[in-house]
Amino acid sequence: MKLICDLVINHTSDQHAWFQESRSSRDNPKRDWYIWRDARYDENGKRIPPTNWRSYFSGSAWTWDEKTQQYYMRLFAESQPDLNWENEETRKAIYDSAVKFWLDKGVDGFRIDTAGLYSKKYPLEDAKYDPSKDSPTDEFYFPENGLCKHGPRIHEFFKELNSKVFSKYDIMTVGEVGENTNHFLE
């Protein structure tokens, strides 16, 4: 029998020590391990999230942090802040604590959760309304429509993960890449 584990490395829990450090202050060394942004303000002075992206679950893809007065990105649940894969130190910590940890315990491979979401397109910008996909009842939040799926560095990140970790083990991997992969054929 072989053991394949679910590898969730797009986000952590908001209770994870890394996130607790990250949210402790704006100048904490782990602040850049997650995606934090300032608020925007509408024409009436009301605070609004950095982008109009809708979470895959519901509402905004951003959660306001009262303590540090910024939003953090969470493409899924409020309790699942997205890791910042642009930060090399973050990637190394992911490889060491999440990937190598389980491989050294003897797992035979991984089903890689949300494998197409690690690379976002910067600068982050509002999603455009797409009437073929978006409900006309949506008032503010829209699907990110490709702004955080299969971003410009996704292949680089996986090549690095393979060369620094996966290639050192006799394992199998399969990634959950989701929809909207047609641009790979262009």
Side-chain angles (χ1 to χ4, degrees):
M1 181 179 348
K2 301 283 186 179
L3 178 64
I4 306 300
C5 290
D6 198 27
L7 182 64
V8 181
I9 51 179
N10 177 68
H11 47 267
T12 67
S13 164
D14 63 355
Q15 299 305 303
H16 194 287
W18 295 352
F19 187 71
Q20 292 298 310
E21 282 187 58
S22 180
R23 93 182 317 176
S24 69
S25 72
R26 285 191 181 202
D27 60 356
N28 185 281
K30 285 193 173 59
R31 185 66 172 191
D32 193 41
W33 285 34
Y34 295 85
I35 302 168
W36 293 91
R37 292 292 183 273
D38 290 330
R40 298 185 297 175
Y41 294 88
D42 68 13
E43 62 278 354
N44 299 317
K46 180 183 172 197
R47 183 184 70 226
I48 59 174
T51 69
N52 65 352
W53 298 359
R54 180 171 52 214
S55 160
Y56 283 94
F57 292 164
S58 69
S60 175
W62 297 92
T63 295
W64 179 250
D65 181 61
E66 195 65 42
K67 180 176 182 179
T68 60
Q69 298 289 296
Q70 280 191 315
Y71 284 91
Y72 63 87
M73 180 185 286
R74 47 79 171 202
L75 292 176
F76 297 95
E78 186 173 321
S79 63
Q80 297 174 312
D82 281 39
L83 286 157
N84 179 10
W85 274 74
E86 297 292 319
N87 182 319
E88 184 176 356
E89 189 178 347
T90 305
R91 293 193 311 274
K92 182 180 181 329
I94 292 167
Y95 303 160
D96 290 343
S97 69
V99 185
K100 289 178 186 175
F101 174 85
W102 288 111
L103 291 170
D104 290 342
K105 296 265 185 213
V107 302
D108 298 295
F110 297 108
R111 175 235 177 236
I112 305 170
D113 186 65
T114 66
L117 298 180
Y118 308 154
S119 175
K120 280 61 169 176
K121 294 176 184 164
Y122 290 95
L124 301 176
E125 59 186 53
D126 276 343
K128 306 298 184 249
Y129 175 75
D130 181 347
S132 70
K133 296 179 186 174
D134 301 329
S135 164
T137 61
D138 290 333
E139 294 181 19
F140 182 77
Y141 303 116
F142 299 103
E144 47 72 35
N145 290 329
L147 296 171
C148 71
K149 287 182 194 152
H150 319 298
R153 297 187 67 193
I154 195 69
H155 292 270
E156 174 190 340
F157 293 156
F158 274 105
K159 285 177 184 176
E160 179 183 86
L161 177 56
N162 185 57
S163 70
K164 291 188 175 185
V165 185
F166 290 160
S167 66
K168 314 266 191 280
Y169 298 84
D170 181 21
I171 60 166
M172 68 78 58
T173 60
V174 61
E176 174 197 27
V177 293
E179 69 213 44
N180 194 15
T181 58
N182 290 339
H183 72 280
F184 287 129
L185 304 175
E186 295 173 358

